[in-house]
Structure formats: structure tokens, C-alpha cells
Amino acid sequence: MKILALETSAKSVSCAVTEDGAPLASAYQCTGLTHSRTLLPMVDAMLKNAELTLDDIGAVAIAAGPGSFTGLRIGIAAAKGLAWAADKPCLGVSTLEAMAENIAHLDGLIVGAMDARRCQVYNAVFEAKGGALTRLCPDRAISLEELAGELAGETRPITVLGDGGTLCRRYLAEHGVPCSLAPAALLYQNAVGVSLAAERAYARGEAVSAQELLPVYLRPAQAERLRSERTKQ
């Protein structure tokens, strides 16, 4: 089955089609232009260049979070629209799990780190062995201090990736946790990883309808936090 995947959780935007664990087509852009301007034209051009249509697609996948609140909303809306129009099921996958797909071939621990501001990272830890990923904790917003404490004494090789990867690697190294940063070409999330993670989710029976597809924020948006604080005063 072919899966069309979208990735809009951070600065870059990408789309891809995979089938049976192999990428058939993909497109990536990181130029600072808004996702609302670039995403759907990218999808349209990619499908046309690959001589594919939505009729050829079995499901639509999206990195549902964590990530940029605005980026996630744009991606979810696009996935819903594409799936609804073509009557296709949807798959919302973890941004961090999809990111870990980039270096699943490196045996050891994979630490996904996205900058969550407020001295935190969105994080998940996976073990990679023989190209397969095993999740070791849920997606969470966690301080670097807490993460370093969890990884202290770890003997397996540790590789860090994500837009918070450089900050995370520096902090861990300064606090006695040896680790490596993923190569620049594999450091950030992309839609190929989303599609590969979605293939596993589909096999587990986790597909949902376009109406049921929702973003995963992990914590309230800043505007919601400020409104909540005002109501308590």
C-alpha cells in the first residue's frame, strides 16, 4: 500500500510517498517560506512528477506532534483535506518517532530533541537494533537536567537528533553523558520517516478517519497558558 506523508512540525516542510518500507517519491524545502504557501504545491508537484494521483494512495499520514503549534495545524488541516476529498484513512504519527527513523540503522539509543522553549525539549528515547526501533518512553516535554539524569551511566552509544539536538548534545556532554549528534543530512525530521512510521501504525490498526485526526501538542499553546493565568488572578 502506498502512503502519502506530510511533515510540517518545524521550520522545514516535506512530503513523501512510500510503499512497503521504500520511498517512491519525496520533496523537501527549508527556505523560511510559510507551510501554508509551500505544502500543497509541493504535494501536487511530487505526485505529478511520480505519475501518481490520490487514487493510487492507500492512506494519508502526518507528523501529528509534538512541534510548532502553527505548523501542526497547517499539516493536520492539509492531511484532513486530502484524505476527505479522496475518501482515504489517516494516520497521525509521533514527530519524534518519525525523526528517529532517520538513524534507525545505527544501533544504540536515539534521543529525539525538539526545542520546546522554557528550558525544555520535546523528547522521546528509542533503542535501535538491527534497523528496528523500540520506544523506551512516551513523548514528553522534559528539562535537559531530567534527561541527563535518566541517561547517566548509560553504556549503549547515544545519538541525538532534532532541532534541539545541538543544544541537547552539548548539555549532555557537559554533564557526563557521552553522545553524538546525527549527521547534518539526517538531523531533522522529514516526511519519509513519517511515512515509514505510518506503515507500522497502519499494520497495528491505528488508522482513523479524517474527522478523527487530531494534533498532539503535549502542552497548551502560549496564548492558552496566558489566558489561564489571567483567569486565576
Side-chain angles (χ1 to χ4, degrees):
M1 182 183 72
K2 295 179 178 67
I3 293 181
L4 168 64
L6 314 177
E7 219 301 334
T8 60
S9 66
K11 181 180 178 181
S12 63
V13 59
S14 57
C15 56
V17 176
T18 66
E19 184 176 27
D20 299 329
L24 301 181
S26 64
Y28 178 95
Q29 189 167 316
C30 188
T31 58
L33 298 176
T34 61
H35 298 343
S36 59
R37 174 180 172 183
T38 56
L39 177 60
L40 290 178
M42 283 177 61
V43 172
D44 183 59
M46 178 191 69
L47 291 176
K48 286 181 178 177
N49 288 338
E51 296 186 347
L52 295 170
T53 70
L54 284 176
D55 289 337
D56 300 311
I57 301 300
V60 178
I62 179 71
S68 155
F69 291 94
T70 300
L72 293 178
R73 289 183 180 118
I74 292 171
I76 291 287
K80 281 176 172 285
L82 291 168
W84 192 301
D87 193 24
K88 305 293 182 180
C90 292
L91 294 148
V93 304
S94 160
T95 307
L96 294 160
E97 180 179 349
M99 182 192 304
E101 287 286 350
N102 292 5
I103 54 173
H105 60 286
L106 298 179
D107 285 0
L109 295 189
I110 298 176
V111 177
M114 300 177 68
D115 189 357
R117 312 297 181 185
R118 301 170 67 197
C119 301
Q120 290 186 323
V121 288
Y122 295 129
N123 165 260
V125 181
F126 303 85
E127 181 181 28
K129 191 171 184 179
L133 292 174
T134 300
R135 178 182 284 274
L136 302 182
C137 69
D139 291 355
R140 64 236 175 123
I142 188 174
S143 70
L144 291 173
E145 181 181 6
E146 291 175 276
L147 181 60
E150 288 184 5
L151 296 174
E154 180 58 57
T155 58
R156 288 166 289 186
I158 300 173
T159 306
V160 183
L161 78 169
D163 62 16
T166 300
L167 174 66
C168 183
R169 176 192 171 278
R170 184 184 305 119
Y171 186 94
L172 292 177
E174 290 173 351
H175 290 79
V177 181
C179 57
S180 301
L181 189 66
L186 303 175
L187 185 60
Y188 302 114
Q189 54 268 51
N190 66 74
V192 172
V194 173
S195 200
L196 295 176
E199 287 188 7
R200 294 197 304 274
Y202 187 86
R204 295 192 298 265
E206 296 176 4
V208 299
S209 67
Q211 300 97 310
E212 296 171 310
L213 183 65
L214 296 171
V216 178
Y217 296 129
L218 291 189
R219 69 184 192 194
Q222 182 178 3
E224 294 173 359
R225 294 196 302 270
L226 292 175
R227 183 168 59 249
S228 176
E229 291 170 2
R230 287 197 297 269
T231 59
K232 292 178 182 177
Q233 294 175 354

